[in-house]
Amino acid sequence: MVPYRDNGHLTRQQIRFNEALSSQRQVIERAIGLLKGRWRKLQYLNLLSVKHMTIFIMAACVLHNFCLINDDFDEAYFLRNDDDDDDDSDVDHSLGRVCRQAEQKRAHITNLL
């Protein structure tokens, strides 16, 4: 999800949304970093099917939780250079209907905050 672009005219709700999105994104990125650290093969998955990617990631989560329950955790699972290739600053707004739907969802979540 894309934060509101801060052009100096954000409403209080939009600022709150951006802050909530940022804090949750950090949690999610740390979780993904842990999974990629423990299951390093996840870094190299190049699957074209979203269904297959979802199954692999869910399996990694289940195995990771099983390991945590059995006290198998090591700080080495944290990746040193967790290079996030997602560049949210270059959002392509030419997607028309899909983009409008995403903006409507973001506005709805903003109003709930």
Side-chain angles (χ1 to χ4, degrees), residues 10-77:
L10 292 180
T11 66
R12 201 175 281 176
Q13 285 179 312
Q14 291 170 333
I15 292 170
R16 198 171 334 138
F17 173 85
N18 282 354
E19 290 170 351
L21 180 65
S22 175
S23 68
Q24 292 306 309
R25 182 178 176 132
Q26 291 172 10
V27 170
I28 291 167
E29 286 177 354
R30 280 193 301 270
I32 291 171
L34 280 173
L35 283 175
K36 285 168 50 177
R38 183 184 285 268
W39 314 109
R40 297 194 188 266
K41 188 67 174 175
L42 288 176
Q43 296 179 64
Y44 306 106
L45 285 181
N46 189 14
L47 300 174
L48 298 177
S49 168
V50 173
K51 180 181 176 183
H52 289 116
M53 283 188 282
T54 305
I55 292 169
F56 275 105
I57 293 169
M58 286 174 33
C61 289
V62 169
L63 291 171
H64 179 73
N65 288 339
F66 180 78
C67 291
L68 289 179
I69 289 169
N70 290 290
D71 293 326
D72 177 24
F73 185 80
D74 188 344
E75 293 294 321
Y77 295 139

